[in-house]
Amino acid sequence: MNIIVGTAGHIDHGKTALVKTLTGTDTDRLPEEKKRGITIDLGFAELDLGDTKIGFVDVPGHERFVKNMLAGASGIDLVLLVIAGDEGVMPQTREHFEICRLLDTKCGIIVLTKSDLIEKEFLDLVKMDVAELVENSFLETAPVVSVSSKTGEGLNELRKTLAESISRVPNRKSEFVTRLWIDRKFTVKGFGAVVTGTLASGEIREGVELELHPVGKKVRVRGVQTHGKDVGKASGGQRTAVNLGGIDHSEIERGMVLCEPGVLRPTYIFEAEVEVIADSKGPLKSRQRVRVHIGTVEVLARIQVLNSNGVIDPGTKDFVQIRLEKPITLIPRERFILRQYSPQITIGGGAVLDGFADKRKKNEIESARHYLGELISAERENNYAKSLKLFIENSKNGVLTFSDFQSRTGWKKEVLTSALLTGVTKKSIMEFDNNIFIAQRDFDDLKSNVLTAIEKHHINEPLSPGLLRETLRENVAPNVPAEVFKAALEYLADGKKILVVNEIVKGAAFNENLSKEELEVKQKLLSLYAEAGLLVPSLEDALEEGRKDTKVLHSQARKIFQLLVNSGELVKVTENFYFGSAPIEQLIETLKSYAESKSNKRMIGVPEFKDLAGISRKYAIPLLEYFDSRKITSRAGDKRRIL
C-alpha cells in the first residue's frame, strides 16, 4: 500500500523537525530555508513500514507561502495537523485545517509538538482549544498524540498511531486515467528534464508516451522513480519522479499535468459546488476576482454565483461557475480552494461538477442549479450512466462523442465503455455511427421537431411536395451530426410518420389538399398533355389553358404544374417544354425497336428521328438532348447512337 501523508500547521510549530525525526530526512532543501530556518517550499521524505510505504509532503506554515502549502496538500491521503503545545491554535493552524477540510481529506492525526516545553495543565488547555477547532469535522475523532522531536517523547506512540490510521485511509478511486500534477521540475546532468508529483490515478511506465497539459505536448518517459529507487512503473498514490524525453525542463512549470495522451482537454470554464468558510471576511459574490488553487496550479478567475442574488454567505454552500483567465486541465469531483485576490486569504473551496460549462445567462440559472444538483446525486449513487446522460443533455449541441465523454469524465476507456453500455441498454442514451451519442430525451425532441417543421411546411405551402432533406436539417437541427439526423428520419419513416422520396421529406398523411377549382386545373393540364402527345404547348401556354375559365391565379397554377412534375406525370425536357410521361416512354420503346433494325447500325439522325416521332425540329432537338442526358442516346457527330 502506498499513501501520502502531509503536514499542516502554523509556522515554527515543528512540522519539518517532526518529519525528520520520523524519516531521517531533512525536507528543508533550499539554501534560503537553511538560512532563515523556515520552510518556504514543499519538502519530501519517505518512510517504509514494510507493508506500507509512506510519502511525506512537508508544507510551509508561513502565511506568505500558503500558495506552496496548497500545491502539496491537494494530493494527500492523511494529514498530520501539527500544533505546538506551547502556543496552541494559531492563524495558519486554522487556515491549514480549513484547507484540508475543504479538500475533503478523510483521515488525520493531531500532533501536539514541543511537549517537553509545557506543563500538563497547559497541554490540557491546548487540547480543549484543538477539540473546539475540529468539532464536527473529519478530525473530530482523530487521535491526539503529544511528541517532542527533541527528546523523542511520544514518537513511538505516533509511529504506532500512524500505522493504525493508515488502515482507515480509503482506497483511491481507480476509474480515472493517468494523471500527475507536477509540483517540482529540475534537470539532471546526463538525463535531462525530471518532474515530481503525487500520481493521482493510473500508472506511469518507463518507455510510454504521455501528454503535458495544458500545452498538449507529447513527451516520452525515459525513467521512473518512487521512494528514491528506479522502478518499471509507478501506481496511483505514489510520490513519483519521472525523467522526460522530448522536452527541456525550462518548458515545464509547477501546475502542469502529465496524463494519458489524447484523453483530457484544457478548459476555461467549469461549474462547481463551493462552500464559503464560516469565518470568511465576507460573502462570495458574482464578478468577484479570486485565486483558484487546484492540484498544484494557481490561476486567477471570475466567479458567477448561480443563485438569484449572486451571493454565497459565510458558512454556507452553493453552485458557482468559475471563469478562468488561463486554461487548466481537470476532472469532475476534483477538489479546489478559493482564495481572495488581495489580500490573499482563503475564502472557501469545493468540488468540480462540470469541467466544460458554457457561460450562463440569468434565465438559465434555475436549470443550471437543477442540473448540478442531479450531478451530485449521480455521484453519490455511483451512477455513472446517469452522469453521462446529464452531461450529454446539457452539452451545447446535445451530442457527444466517445472522446468528448472521456475528456469530461477522465475515466479509463473500459470504465466509460461499460457506463455507456448501461446507458444504451437502459435507453437513456442512444449510440450512432462514429462513436456518436445522444440522450434519448434529445433524440425524441429531434423527432418531434422534425414532424413539427414538416407539418408547418405543409400548412404554409400546401402545394409543395415536401422539404428537401438538407433544408429540413438546416431548419431543425443544423448542429446535429448527419448520422443522428438520418437515424431520426429512419425512425419516423419506419413508424409511418413521414415519407422520404429521393431527397424530399413529407408527412405520411400529406395530401395536396387542392380546392375544387385547383383540382379542375390539375385535370385540365393532364388532359391537355395527354391529347398533345409529343406536340406539346409551351409552359406558359399550358398554364394559361389550364386555368382558363377559373379563378385560380397564375402562381397557383404553376404550383399545381410542379406537383405533376414531382409526381412524374409530367416530364421536364427544357425550361419551356414539358411532356406527358406516357408519350415519352412510348417514344423510348419506338427508339428501341428502331435500334433493332440491322440496317441502321443503331444510329439515328435528326431527320430520321423527326419522321419516327412525327414531330418538327422544334421538338426533335430538345428531345434528343434530353435522351442524351438520360443515356438513352449518345451524340456521335451529327447523329446519335441509340444506347
Side-chain angles (χ1 to χ4, degrees):
M1 185 178 181
N2 294 282
I3 72 162
I4 304 299
V5 174
T7 62
H10 198 74
I11 184 173
D12 202 29
H13 274 208
K15 297 184 294 298
T16 302
L18 180 65
V19 173
K20 183 177 180 180
T21 304
L22 289 171
T23 66
T25 300
D26 184 357
T27 56
D28 280 350
R29 55 190 170 80
L30 302 176
E32 185 70 11
E33 292 176 318
K34 300 293 187 183
K35 179 180 177 181
R36 298 173 62 181
I38 64 171
T39 300
I40 295 173
D41 204 352
L42 302 177
F44 306 97
E46 287 86 31
L47 179 63
D48 191 341
L49 296 181
D51 292 338
T52 303
K53 290 182 174 60
I54 299 176
F56 278 93
V57 180
D58 185 32
V59 305
H62 196 288
E63 63 178 336
R64 288 176 55 192
F65 306 122
V66 172
K67 169 184 175 180
N68 293 341
M69 178 270 176
L70 282 159
S74 63
I76 65 174
D77 301 302
L78 183 148
V79 63
L80 298 181
L81 183 61
V82 179
I83 304 169
D86 61 341
E87 287 192 345
V89 175
M90 298 294 283
Q92 262 52 65
T93 311
R94 294 183 182 278
E95 186 170 21
H96 283 205
F97 162 71
E98 289 289 4
I99 287 170
C100 292
R101 184 181 65 81
L102 292 167
L103 289 175
D104 200 27
T105 307
K106 300 295 186 184
C107 299
I109 301 170
I110 298 167
V111 184
L112 303 180
T113 58
K114 306 183 182 181
S115 62
D116 57 308
L117 301 180
I118 54 174
E119 299 293 332
K120 181 180 181 301
E121 291 76 9
F122 188 78
L123 188 61
D124 289 340
L125 290 175
V126 172
K127 288 181 179 179
M128 291 173 61
D129 200 16
V130 172
E132 183 180 344
L133 172 68
V134 301
E135 186 177 6
N136 297 322
S137 77
F138 74 102
L139 287 179
E140 184 174 36
T141 59
V144 180
V145 182
S146 300
V147 303
S148 169
S149 298
K150 185 175 181 180
T151 66
E153 178 189 349
L155 287 175
N156 286 334
E157 182 186 352
L158 178 57
R159 290 188 182 96
K160 180 181 177 183
T161 303
L162 188 58
E164 291 171 350
S165 297
I166 286 169
S167 63
R168 295 193 293 272
V169 173
N171 292 328
R172 288 178 176 249
K173 290 191 173 183
S174 60
E175 68 263 37
F176 297 111
V177 297
T178 298
R179 294 169 59 251
L180 181 141
W181 283 101
I182 295 171
D183 52 38
R184 277 199 303 166
K185 58 99 178 192
F186 49 90
T187 184
V188 177
K189 190 174 182 180
F191 291 90
V194 176
V195 299
T196 69
T198 299
L199 187 53
S201 57
E203 63 179 33
I204 294 179
R205 293 177 177 270
E206 186 178 338
V208 303
E209 184 181 68
L210 295 176
E211 195 168 38
L212 186 65
H213 277 248
V215 294
K217 184 164 185 174
K218 300 290 176 62
V219 292
R220 187 179 69 262
V221 177
R222 298 171 63 182
V224 183
Q225 282 193 349
T226 63
H227 301 289
K229 297 179 180 179
D230 292 327
V231 292
K233 72 170 184 176
S235 302
Q238 290 183 307
R239 285 294 306 170
T240 308
V242 188
N243 180 204
L244 298 176
I247 192 169
D248 187 81
H249 88 286
S250 62
E251 300 176 65
I252 306 169
E253 298 176 4
R254 172 182 284 181
M256 289 183 169
V257 184
L258 269 181
C259 55
E260 186 176 318
V263 175
L264 301 180
R265 302 172 191 167
T267 183
Y268 276 96
I269 303 177
F270 70 91
E271 290 177 336
E273 184 180 41
V274 162
E275 176 186 347
V276 177
I277 60 177
D279 60 354
S280 174
K281 300 298 182 183
L284 182 66
K285 300 178 181 179
S286 285
R287 299 295 302 158
Q288 185 171 342
R289 198 175 190 212
V290 297
R291 298 175 185 271
V292 178
H293 295 263
I294 186 165
T296 59
V297 72
E298 175 193 26
V299 59
L300 297 175
R302 293 279 182 185
I303 295 289
Q304 182 190 9
V305 177
L306 298 175
N307 63 30
S308 58
N309 58 6
V311 171
I312 305 177
D313 291 320
T316 65
K317 61 173 64 175
D318 212 330
F319 299 121
V320 300
Q321 182 173 101
I322 298 178
R323 300 173 183 176
L324 305 164
E325 294 185 13
K326 68 177 184 179
I328 60 175
T329 303
L330 44 73
I331 60 171
R333 304 310 300 171
E334 195 153 20
R335 307 293 299 193
F336 62 90
I337 298 296
L338 294 180
R339 304 194 82 217
Q340 200 166 278
Y341 174 66
S342 181
Q344 295 186 37
I345 56 176
T346 300
I347 302 170
V352 176
L353 297 176
D354 184 348
F356 291 86
D358 296 310
K359 288 186 177 181
R360 301 282 188 182
K361 298 177 182 177
K362 284 186 177 180
N363 61 358
E364 297 174 328
I365 285 178
E366 279 307 311
S367 61
R369 292 176 63 80
H370 176 75
Y371 162 56
L372 297 173
E374 286 293 295
L375 279 177
I376 291 175
S377 173
E379 169 71 17
R380 287 173 180 161
E381 298 165 6
N382 286 320
N383 191 334
Y384 292 178
K386 181 179 178 181
S387 294
L388 298 182
K389 171 178 170 287
L390 291 166
F391 281 138
I392 200 169
E393 286 179 350
N394 288 273
S395 63
K396 192 170 185 178
N397 298 328
V399 174
L400 293 177
T401 64
F402 188 92
S403 177
D404 293 332
F405 274 127
Q406 204 168 20
S407 64
R408 280 177 174 266
T409 62
W411 295 341
K412 294 177 181 176
K413 185 176 181 180
E414 57 270 24
V415 175
L416 178 57
T417 300
S418 175
L420 284 169
L421 180 60
T422 299
V424 171
T425 302
K426 291 184 176 180
K427 297 184 177 179
S428 62
I429 298 173
M430 297 192 67
E431 181 179 8
F432 301 93
D433 294 339
N434 299 323
N435 274 326
I436 293 173
F437 299 86
I438 185 172
Q440 180 68 55
R441 182 199 71 177
D442 293 333
F443 189 68
D444 291 341
D445 288 346
L446 173 61
K447 291 186 291 183
S448 176
N449 292 339
V450 166
L451 288 176
T452 300
I454 293 172
E455 181 181 348
K456 185 176 180 180
H457 177 76
H458 286 322
I459 292 172
N460 294 336
E461 302 284 344
L463 301 181
S464 168
L467 279 162
L468 282 170
R469 182 196 300 262
E470 276 307 304
T471 301
L472 179 60
R473 182 183 167 199
E474 288 172 9
N475 291 343
V476 174
N479 297 318
V480 170
E483 297 91 337
V484 177
F485 187 74
K486 178 184 176 184
L489 295 186
E490 290 173 351
Y491 269 81
L492 292 171
D494 291 344
K496 310 296 183 187
K497 298 290 181 67
I498 64 170
L499 292 173
V500 182
V501 181
N502 296 323
E503 290 299 306
I504 299 293
V505 184
K506 63 181 179 178
F510 168 71
N511 58 59
E512 294 159 4
N513 293 321
L514 300 180
S515 67
K516 184 177 180 181
E517 278 199 324
E518 288 169 339
L519 285 170
E520 182 182 339
V521 171
K522 177 182 177 183
Q523 191 55 51
K524 286 172 71 176
L525 287 170
L526 285 172
S527 299
L528 176 64
Y529 278 92
E531 293 169 6
L534 295 174
L535 303 174
V536 296
S538 68
L539 173 61
E540 287 302 318
D541 288 344
L543 292 175
E544 288 304 315
E545 184 65 28
R547 71 188 193 92
K548 187 177 180 181
D549 300 325
T550 71
K551 294 180 180 180
V552 174
L553 299 175
H554 182 278
S555 59
Q556 289 174 283
R558 185 68 180 85
K559 288 183 178 180
I560 295 167
F561 193 91
Q562 186 62 46
L563 286 175
L564 295 174
V565 175
N566 293 340
S567 67
E569 293 170 277
L570 295 182
V571 176
K572 179 181 179 180
V573 172
T574 69
E575 292 294 338
N576 197 39
F577 287 130
Y578 292 76
F579 294 78
S581 59
I584 290 293
E585 293 303 316
Q586 181 58 52
L587 181 55
I588 292 172
E589 292 300 319
T590 302
L591 276 173
K592 287 181 181 179
S593 299
Y594 181 83
E596 291 170 0
S597 172
K598 295 181 180 179
S599 60
N600 56 52
K601 299 181 180 179
R602 303 188 70 86
M603 302 295 290
I604 190 169
V606 174
E608 292 84 3
F609 182 74
K610 286 167 50 182
D611 293 341
L612 190 69
I615 55 177
S616 67
R617 186 179 182 85
K618 178 175 75 170
Y619 298 113
I621 299 301
L623 281 168
L624 282 170
E625 290 176 350
Y626 169 72
F627 287 147
D628 289 345
S629 69
R630 284 188 56 183
K631 308 299 183 185
I632 292 166
T633 60
S634 175
R635 188 159 188 167
D638 59 351
K639 293 191 175 185
R640 258 81 174 180
R641 179 179 299 280
I642 303 170
L643 301 176

